[in-house]
Structure formats: structure tokens, C-alpha cells
Amino acid sequence: MRSHYCGEINESLLGKEIEVCGWVHRRRDHGGVIFIDLRDREGLLQVVFDPDRAEIFEQAERIRSEFVLRVKGLVRARPDGTVNPSMRTGKIEVLALDLEVLNKSETPPFHHDEQANEDIRLKYRYLDLRREKMLGNLMLRHKVTMAMRAYLDSNGFIDVETPMLTRATPEGARDYIVPSRTNPGKFFALPQSPQLFKQLLMMSGLDRYYQIVRCFRDEDLRADRQPEFTQLDIEMSFVDEAAVTANVESMIRHVFKKAMDVELADPFPRMTYAEAMHRYGSDKPDLRIDLELIEVSDLMSSVDFKVFAGPASDPEGRVAALCVPGGAEMSRKIIDDYTAFVARYGARGLAYIKVNDLAAGRDGLQSPILKFLPDDAVTGIVERTGAKTGDLIFFGADKARVVNDALGALRIKVGEDRGLVAEGWAPLWVVDFPMFEKDAASKRWSALHHPFTAPSVNDAEALKADPGHALSRAYDMV
């Protein structure tokens, strides 16, 4: 039925008859000659229906968008001036010799080039997945998993499937449970990760294990959290952190090269958790955005403005600034929208200073908070942030965690909104994570990563005496 994919037809097939199958992407009637762009997973192919072939031309006149066709035709070069360099098949076309309509289509609720809302896309998921972007995502995912398996297989890792129905274990979220038919009143738990199973495999002497595995966590939806997800799970024996990070880093470079032909840095830079939080307000900073949080607590500790002075004098507080190049052009509505945005992260407001004319000193600044700040504090803020004429300085003042969460998220949003995200990739290792974090409500310490993380010290008494400053042997790749 099919000899080639649509997107695979090229000049090497000129003068040959081929058969293709696919969906009608677009139909054009140009004064008696009908052109159809036929689509399959590999791309588009222009098919020409000539009126000299009356029978199939009549069929082509009744064809509409998303009809499924089988076409037999002759590959020929496109006429001069009609070559389309943006298409893989843009130098050739197929003259239709035979046509079969495999399936007709009603008018779809949205077309491939339309931006439909999410509810419609999910209702007609099969149509959504026909779109180039969505199909491209699936193809890229396939290439990534192929590259991962190839690397791990060639480096001595063994692919092992672990049980899916198991018992609950202490993890970072709630479990999904499945009632047992054979044991009434008892339940299985779906795995949040194969943690215990892979440790069992290491104890058994398997040495190097991997699995591309489905995991389940009963938690609310967020941008980086879903109830079910797929992860690459790895475990190794007789290694230290350096060996693990070297293997994973090498694999990621391999995957990017094979799947996307992208060369990544060698080695990846490293940054401590403390530095990442201090400079970017996040333990997964996007270094493609050249904006940083600037500490100004010392400039605010003695001012009369309690909104700033209070957190500046609090050992658990922080006052930080975020300078946005060209931000002085922002309207009050935009600033209000950003204020509402940071409120989601617990911020009670978003103070700002516009630098309209740096040379004019204090008179060149615009802000409701200027009247509360002495000259030395204002001068210190401008100098420390490196603000220039036309810039805007946002402020966060609260508990350090709130400031980091709010300004860290604002940094990303402003960077994306204002086109400040550089092209390319910026991989990074974040190291020296805290071992514990204190829950504000219960006043209890809990593992920052998960209970399986080892502390960086072997002295249990020292760990117990000062858990707030204990570091873990945890590391994240961003």
C-alpha cells in the first residue's frame, strides 16, 4: 500500500513511481490544477492533480482537509520559481496517477494551524497529536530514550523492570493505592519511584541498573509536578559522587548530540545550593537569563521603613533587589500584574524604583517608597544593582524563603516576558544541598530531598546538634 513516507521523498526518486498514504494538510485549487499537501509523521509532500486525468481530478475536487488518502504517482522536479526551501520535500512534487480515499473527514473542530483551548485539544486528542509540534515532541522523546538506552547499554548498565504493585514506602508525596481483590481491606501502592527495588538489586550484585519507568505521586498539578510521569532511574555500586556525576553528565552530552545535534559544555559548571538561592532565588536556576537577585539587607536594616527594616534585621529574613534592564517603561498595570504574580508565592507586595535619569540622582528616580529611604540607602541600592537610566528595580522583603520563591519566580517570568532568555542550553550541577528543612507549621525538621539522602558528615551527634546547617550528599543537574 505504501512505498515511502511523505517526508522521505527527495530528488533521488525523480522519475520513479511511488505510493504514499497520509492526511490532507492543505488543498489549493489554482485555476484548474489542484495541489494537495499530504502529511504523515515524516513531513509534507505536494501532490499535483492534473485535469488531463479526469477521473482522479474529479475525486480530488471533493477532497477536504484531514481526508486520509492513498496516492500513487510520479516524482518530478518542481517548476522554476516554485521550489519551497522551508520543506524537506520542497524541490520535488508528485503527479498523481491513482487516488484512493481511505477515510473521509468531517470538518474538524480546529485545524492544524489554529490555537485551540486546552479543553478542546484534550477532547480531540487524536487531532491535537497530528499537529507538527505535538508529533515532534513524541518523535524527540523517542530519540531521547533511544540515545539513553544506547549509552547505558554500552556502559555496562542492565535494564531491569521492577514491580508496579507494591507496598507503600516513605517518599516525598502521597501514594496512589489500589484495592486488593484477594485480600479485602488491604491495598497495593503504585510506586513513587523504584528506590527500594534498585537498592535490593545493588545488594544482589547487579552493580549497574537502569530503567525508564513510570512513577505515580498523588499531589496537586504544577508546572513541574504531575500525578504520573516517566523518569530515567539509575543505580550504581562501588562508586562515589564524582563517578555518578561523571557518568550522568557524559550521558546527557551524548543524548543532546544524538537527539538534537547539540554540543554541551564539558564539563558542566557547578554551583552550591547556597549560591544558587542567594543569586537566583532557586535551586534550579536558568542561567540563560542574565538577571540576579542582589542582597540589600545591610542597606535597609536601619531605615525607618518597617516593611524593609523588619526583614533586614530578622536572622531568617531577607531584602533583595532585582534590576530589570529597560524596565522603567513598564506601565502601572504591568507592575500590578507582577505584584499579583508574586503574591502566589507568599509575597505581600512588590516595591519598585524606576530609574528615569541616573544623572539626576534622587530626582531622576520614581517610586512610592523613595520618601521612606534616606539618601545613602538609595545611592547604595543604585550602585549595588548597577542600575542605569531606563531600568527598574523590584524589591522583595520578607522571610528569606518567601523572598527567594517570589523574586526567583519573578526573575523567570520577567526574563520570558521581555525576551531576555538567551538561545541555547545552560546545564549546571547544583551541589551541597541542606540535609533538612524546617516546616514552619509543625516546627519539625524533615529531609529536603528525601529520607534516603546521606549526610555529608559521619558524626551523628554533630548532625543532631545542628541539623539546620547540615549538608547532604545530594546534587541536582539543571
Side-chain angles (χ1 to χ4, degrees), residues 330 334-342 350 410 413-414 417:
M330 290 186 196
I334 292 176
I335 294 175
D336 288 345
D337 288 344
Y338 284 139
T339 303
F341 174 78
V342 298
L350 184 63
L410 181 64
K413 182 163 180 59
V414 168
D417 289 350

Side-chain angles (χ1 to χ4, degrees), residues 278-471:
H278 184 77
R279 294 173 60 186
Y280 304 106
S282 171
D283 60 1
K284 45 182 182 294
D286 187 343
L287 300 186
R288 298 174 301 170
I289 301 174
D290 191 21
L291 299 176
E292 292 190 23
L293 276 57
I294 307 299
E295 188 67 41
V296 293
S297 296
D298 58 309
L299 301 175
M300 301 298 180
S301 58
S302 59
V303 301
D304 293 331
F305 191 36
K306 293 183 178 180
V307 173
F308 281 1
S313 302
D314 183 351
E316 297 182 357
R318 184 183 189 190
V319 183
L322 177 68
C323 183
V324 181
E329 67 183 16
M330 290 186 196
S331 66
R332 181 57 188 263
K333 181 183 183 306
I334 292 176
I335 294 175
D336 288 345
D337 288 344
Y338 284 139
T339 303
F341 174 78
V342 298
R344 303 178 202 170
Y345 299 88
R348 289 173 286 184
L350 184 63
Y352 67 91
I353 294 177
K354 287 186 176 183
V355 184
N356 296 323
D357 184 1
L358 184 62
R362 190 185 185 100
D363 292 336
L365 306 180
Q366 176 187 348
S367 172
I369 67 170
L370 279 174
K371 58 188 176 184
F372 301 110
L373 303 179
D375 289 343
D376 59 339
V378 172
T379 301
I381 291 168
V382 173
E383 290 179 350
R384 191 170 297 180
T385 59
K388 299 179 176 59
T389 296
D391 293 351
L392 179 143
I393 307 168
F394 283 124
F395 296 90
D398 209 309
K399 295 294 185 182
R401 182 167 186 171
V402 173
V403 172
N404 291 339
D405 288 350
L407 288 190
L410 181 64
R411 171 182 174 270
I412 299 297
K413 182 163 180 59
V414 168
E416 293 174 347
D417 289 350
R418 300 185 65 80
L420 301 177
V421 184
E423 293 290 333
W425 300 85
L428 169 74
W429 283 108
V430 178
V431 299
D432 294 341
F433 278 77
M435 185 69 191
F436 304 106
E437 62 179 346
K438 199 167 192 177
D439 182 77
S442 65
K443 305 296 184 183
R444 296 182 61 185
W445 293 102
S446 60
L448 180 68
H449 258 219
H450 54 67
F452 302 103
T453 306
S456 60
V457 296
N458 294 322
D459 188 344
E461 290 303 318
L463 189 66
K464 184 177 180 180
D466 191 9
H469 289 89
L471 299 179

